[in-house]
Amino acid sequence: MSAMLDRSSAPRAVIASVDEDSPAYLAGFEPGDAITAVDGAPLRDILDWKWMTSEDACVLSYIGVDGDAGDVELERDVGESWGIAFTDAIFNGVKVCKNDCTFCFMKQLPRDLRKTLYVRDDDVRLSFLQGNFVTLTNLDEADVARIVEQRISPLRVSLHASDPEVRRVMIGRNAQKGIDNLEALLAAGIEFDAQIVLVPGANDGDVLDETLRWAYERPNIKTVGIVPLGYTKHQSAFSKSFNEPEDALKVIQQIRPFQVRAEAERGHAWAYAADELYLNAYGDDVLDQLPGAGFYGDFSMFEDGIGIVRACVDDFLAAENEGCLGEAHDLLQAQGLHAVILAGMAMEPYFGRLIEGSSLAGAASALFVRNEFFGGNVNVTGLLSGEDMAAAIRSYEGTDGCIYLLPEVAFNSDGLTVDGMTADDIARVSGKEVLCAPSNPLDCILSLIRNLKDG
């Protein structure tokens, strides 16, 4: 490597690791070094990296961990990796949302949480890499051209409504730009999964019909998920969603004709109601009304709350069929323990019944935790706070010798809940023994079994 001009103002792709004997290793790269350009072009993200280094030779501009800067030419054999892994996927900062959506969940958060919880990302690259939904309102012509050139597809778009005026009211003054960009990308062959956050009196009813018709006419919109408005107690704009059975059922029935047509013409349902709508519509009878696994295909909209209940039920039955529930029951009984599985109120209509009708009966129970931290209609397990879980454990009137299984989905990668508590904090505050376990029922029980066997 030879010293060059400082490139401190350029985006930096910081190297996390270098494979031994790889081209990057042999060139002298090491963790902490930063790549700033490939063949003279700035390196903005991991997508650029894969696109610009697809050939078997390239020139990398760098800033070394010790501050030196320069260029180095790398070559590799056909099919060989460059041997570099980066600390992040985005090198020039995440694009944030500039909209003013009336229903934005981020604007409904309580104060004084971790700063990262308030970051309203609207970055199309994270849509491709992580499945985030984006509005496309902050794309310029160069961004659109790049997506088309690099075939960054499929993407996920927050559609909400096709009517221009409805969109403007719901999203803000940039709403039309989002539709214009969507149309341009669809015309260029980019595929999308779309999301509609359904707000009572705003984009439901006839507006929803119009939006679904509009989307169906565009074949590159592969699926549409309809998700009811979520709201917290930390706002004053909303006091209802589709929580009443008749309101939720009306939405499910309204979507059905589109599903029937899509099943006949495209081989899949295309429009999918969020699990929350089924839970609200059918309550304790939800297991009798929920679509089968085949309806959800590859469960591509799982992270949008679509198909989670079906997957949970099927995973639980798989654990039963594989003998895991019976094994866990016997281990718990032998050690004089009773497992208490914590979950959000959304699981109340069905999860307790699953346990009671299984081989775990008598050795395990479900503890459904009301979300006082967020309030409103927030009831999913992943948004449970540490203080709510600790309070529920303290007040639980169960048998002696309980071990409380905390849902891993309620903790971030640093092991913190939304209110900044760790599992150890919850154990200390509640005064009880806790164990973090996966939310997937089969993995949860297998984790419990391993813990019991390890003592």
Side-chain angles (χ1 to χ4, degrees):
M1 296 184 182
S2 59
M4 294 285 289
L5 294 175
D6 179 69
R7 299 122 193 253
S8 59
S9 61
R12 296 189 183 194
V14 179
I15 296 175
S17 63
V18 180
D19 295 339
E20 190 172 351
D21 295 328
S22 66
Y25 179 89
L26 297 175
F29 284 106
E30 59 184 2
D33 291 342
I35 308 300
T36 59
V38 178
D39 294 330
L43 192 60
R44 298 164 291 187
D45 47 58
I46 196 69
L47 301 178
D48 270 350
W49 169 255
K50 292 179 178 180
W51 180 261
M52 296 176 183
T53 62
S54 59
E55 302 297 330
D56 293 326
C58 62
V59 175
L60 301 185
S61 302
Y62 70 90
I63 299 174
V65 68
D66 56 0
D68 69 314
D71 296 317
V72 62
E73 184 174 357
L74 264 63
E75 295 183 356
R76 64 179 177 181
D77 295 332
V78 176
E80 184 181 14
S81 167
W82 294 114
I84 294 176
F86 297 104
T87 57
D88 295 295
I90 306 298
F91 311 144
N92 63 345
V94 172
K95 280 194 172 185
V96 297
C97 182
K98 297 181 179 180
N99 301 312
D100 189 26
C101 296
T102 57
F103 51 86
C104 178
F105 194 80
M106 297 297 186
K107 295 194 296 187
Q108 303 181 44
L109 298 179
R111 297 180 179 180
D112 301 324
L113 300 181
R114 299 190 309 276
K115 290 183 179 180
T116 53
L117 293 174
Y118 300 100
V119 176
R120 297 194 297 157
D121 69 82
D122 195 19
D123 198 314
V124 72
R125 298 168 297 181
L126 294 180
S127 179
F128 179 73
L129 294 168
Q130 300 179 3
N132 296 11
F133 283 92
V134 292
T135 66
L136 307 178
T137 58
N138 59 4
L139 301 184
D140 57 25
E141 290 183 3
D143 293 324
V144 172
R146 180 207 178 179
I147 293 169
V148 175
E149 180 189 12
Q150 296 186 1
R151 307 308 297 173
I152 302 175
S153 177
L155 297 172
R156 295 196 162 193
V157 62
S158 293
L159 178 58
H160 308 316
S162 58
D163 180 273
E165 181 58 24
V166 174
R167 282 180 56 82
R168 189 195 66 76
V169 172
M170 294 185 69
I171 299 174
R173 60 188 177 88
N174 296 317
Q176 187 58 43
K177 187 175 182 181
I179 282 287
D180 292 343
N181 285 330
L182 175 59
E183 291 276 35
L185 291 168
L186 288 169
I190 303 301
E191 296 182 344
F192 287 87
D193 293 304
Q195 177 198 68
I196 296 172
V197 173
L198 205 60
V199 180
N203 61 339
D204 56 349
D206 292 341
V207 177
L208 176 59
D209 280 337
E210 179 184 345
T211 303
L212 290 174
R213 283 193 294 268
W214 182 92
Y216 196 80
E217 291 170 356
R218 289 152 176 81
N220 281 341
I221 296 181
K222 296 302 183 181
T223 61
V224 179
I226 296 91
V227 180
L229 165 73
Y231 63 91
T232 77
K233 66 182 181 182
H234 305 282
Q235 52 80 46
S236 58
F238 302 106
S239 59
K240 64 171 293 186
S241 183
F242 296 87
N243 294 84
E244 295 302 321
E246 59 272 18
D247 295 332
L249 183 59
K250 183 179 179 180
V251 176
I252 293 172
Q253 293 172 338
Q254 183 177 358
I255 297 169
R256 187 57 189 153
F258 293 93
Q259 295 173 330
V260 171
R261 179 182 176 184
E263 287 168 337
E265 296 178 354
R266 303 185 181 183
H268 62 94
W270 182 74
Y272 298 90
D275 293 359
E276 185 178 348
L277 290 166
Y278 287 98
L279 291 165
N280 293 342
Y282 299 114
D284 292 344
D285 296 325
V286 68
L287 296 185
D288 299 324
Q289 301 294 334
L290 195 68
F295 177 83
Y296 295 103
D298 61 359
F299 287 81
S300 62
M301 303 192 81
F302 191 86
E303 296 301 324
D304 208 29
I306 296 172
I308 292 178
V309 175
R310 170 49 60 197
C312 176
V313 172
D314 290 353
D315 287 337
F316 191 88
L317 296 178
E320 177 74 285
N321 293 335
E322 294 178 22
C324 297
L325 302 188
E327 182 180 1
H329 175 279
D330 293 345
L331 285 169
L332 287 164
Q333 295 279 46
Q335 297 182 31
L337 296 173
H338 186 89
V340 181
I341 304 172
L342 276 69
M345 296 300 297
M347 296 181 68
E348 186 178 29
Y350 67 95
F351 192 61
R353 291 169 53 198
L354 287 178
I355 294 176
E356 292 166 5
S358 75
S359 300
L360 264 182
S365 304
L367 174 57
F368 301 107
V369 182
R370 189 168 301 280
N371 198 319
E372 302 292 350
F373 184 78
F374 285 117
N377 70 339
V378 179
N379 60 8
V380 296
T381 302
L383 289 178
L384 287 176
S385 68
E387 65 179 48
D388 283 339
M389 288 190 282
I393 292 171
R394 283 199 308 270
S395 61
Y396 181 69
E397 297 179 357
T399 60
D400 294 331
C402 288
I403 180 171
Y404 294 85
L405 275 59
L406 308 179
E408 284 184 352
V409 71
F411 297 83
N412 70 1
S413 58
D414 295 321
L416 299 174
T417 58
V418 289
D419 56 341
M421 293 182 69
T422 65
D424 288 341
D425 293 332
I426 294 172
R428 174 178 51 78
V429 173
S430 66
K432 303 293 184 180
E433 181 181 0
V434 304
L435 171 68
C436 274
S439 296
N440 173 290
L442 178 57
D443 291 341
C444 174
I445 298 304
L446 289 174
S447 174
L448 174 62
I449 289 172
R450 287 193 297 270
N451 185 271
L452 293 171
K453 287 182 175 180
D454 292 343

